[in-house]
Amino acid sequence: MSALFRGGWLRLYAALYLVFLYLPILLLPIFAFNSSTVIAFPLSNFTTEWFAQLVEVEALHAAVLTSVRIAMITAAVSTLLGICAARAAARYRFPGKGGIMGLIMLPLVLPEIIVAVSLLVVFLQLGLQLSSLTVILGHVLICTPFSIAILNSAFQSLDVSLEEAAIDLGENSWGVFRLIVLPLVMPGIISSLLIAFTISMDEFIIAFFLSGSDATLPVYLWGQLRFPQRLPVVMALGTILVSLSILLLILAEWARRRGVRKRGGAETGGFL
């Protein structure tokens, strides 16, 4: 009875926590389809006007293109670095392995404001002009640990005997990696690309400090919050971004689970 009682309280706590966490997000589409420019209840009439206005804002289009370009490059570079680090951590032993991997994963626990200010100081000291390049460097720093976390499980679950058998049959190391290892971890790679892309698209603090004149989409949205009459348009855009982010995360988790099943592993939860 005591365990059942504790389980009931735990489920209640989880439900309240989820409501607290996601209720503000659920309010986005409600006000995005509201005809009033005042973000408050009671609601006015249903409208799609704010979504139509998104097509007419050229500054928004430039911000979206900048964010997509940065996110694509960040996802590719972070995943490539994640493949190298996860492969080394899972397959090889070398001095200081634990400390090196700990330093690589450190951005996961560091406050982003500290990372952003530190990178800003370093880039200014090096004479780098703030631009999309500096944002990409900052995003790669914070996205690489996520890629490693995803790919590490993919590489660790590989059967080493498959590689040894291929080498015994005369294949070289690069051929083993390309023909055997890479196809087996491909779902993890796809998951890493989607996660890194989503994180880069949504990231604000580092982009705010390092973007310069190349404003990303989150930075552009922050600037629009100073104008109350533009808030409904921001709500409409936020609704689209949340929907796309959820879709990408679902695809990433699907790719990760498909990889686990493909390698014959047991599903024990999920990265998400």
Side-chain angles (χ1 to χ4, degrees):
M1 180 64 70
S2 177
L4 182 62
F5 179 76
R6 289 196 300 269
W9 278 107
L10 182 60
R11 286 191 292 270
L12 178 60
Y13 168 77
L16 293 176
Y17 176 79
L18 291 175
V19 170
F20 173 78
L21 189 63
Y22 291 109
L23 184 59
I25 298 178
L26 295 177
L27 292 176
L28 277 176
I30 294 177
F31 291 114
F33 290 102
N34 183 35
S35 61
S36 175
T37 57
V38 179
I39 309 301
F41 291 100
L43 300 176
S44 299
N45 299 322
F46 177 86
T47 183
T48 57
E49 174 188 357
W50 313 123
F51 290 89
Q53 289 188 15
L54 293 176
V55 185
E56 305 172 0
V57 185
E58 295 183 1
L60 172 62
H61 302 165
V64 170
L65 291 176
T66 299
S67 284
V68 170
R69 182 174 66 251
I70 290 174
M72 292 178 64
I73 297 174
T74 298
V77 176
S78 299
T79 300
L80 179 61
L81 295 176
I83 291 173
C84 297
R87 174 66 172 174
R91 190 69 173 83
Y92 304 103
R93 296 181 179 179
F94 48 89
K97 175 180 174 180
I100 293 174
M101 294 305 299
L103 288 175
I104 295 176
M105 303 298 287
L106 193 60
L108 283 176
V109 297
L110 285 177
E112 282 196 22
I113 185 68
I114 302 300
V115 176
V117 172
S118 301
L119 289 175
L120 177 62
V121 173
V122 170
F123 291 153
L124 292 179
Q125 289 296 321
L126 293 176
L128 289 177
Q129 184 177 2
L130 299 182
S131 62
S132 296
L133 175 61
T134 54
V135 178
I136 291 172
L137 294 176
H139 283 185
V140 167
L141 179 65
I142 63 172
C143 288
T144 299
F146 288 93
S147 296
I148 295 175
I150 296 171
L151 292 167
N152 194 42
S153 61
F155 279 104
Q156 286 184 348
S157 62
L158 288 177
D159 189 353
V160 181
S161 62
L162 295 176
E163 302 179 48
E164 295 174 348
I167 293 176
D168 290 340
L169 293 173
E171 189 61 74
N172 56 34
S173 299
W174 168 246
V176 171
F177 181 80
R178 180 173 58 88
L179 298 174
I180 297 177
V181 176
L182 201 59
L184 289 175
V185 300
M186 185 56 66
I189 293 175
I190 295 174
S191 180
S192 172
L193 288 169
L194 293 173
I195 291 291
F197 182 88
T198 302
I199 293 173
S200 178
M201 280 290 295
D202 295 341
E203 202 283 325
F204 168 74
I205 297 178
I206 289 179
F208 178 76
F209 279 87
L210 303 180
S211 60
S213 59
D214 300 331
T216 62
L217 183 57
V219 175
Y220 171 82
L221 291 178
W222 178 84
Q224 297 303 298
L225 294 179
R226 294 175 293 176
F227 308 100
Q229 68 275 16
R230 299 181 185 175
L231 283 180
V233 179
V234 173
M235 292 287 186
L237 181 59
T239 301
I240 296 175
L241 292 178
V242 169
S243 302
L244 291 177
S245 297
I246 293 174
L247 177 61
L248 288 177
L249 290 174
I250 291 174
L251 290 175
E253 181 65 6
W254 173 81
R256 188 198 66 81
R257 296 191 179 192
R258 183 173 180 272
V260 172
R261 293 193 299 268
K262 187 176 181 180
R263 294 187 297 271
E267 182 58 53
T268 57
F271 176 77
L272 300 179

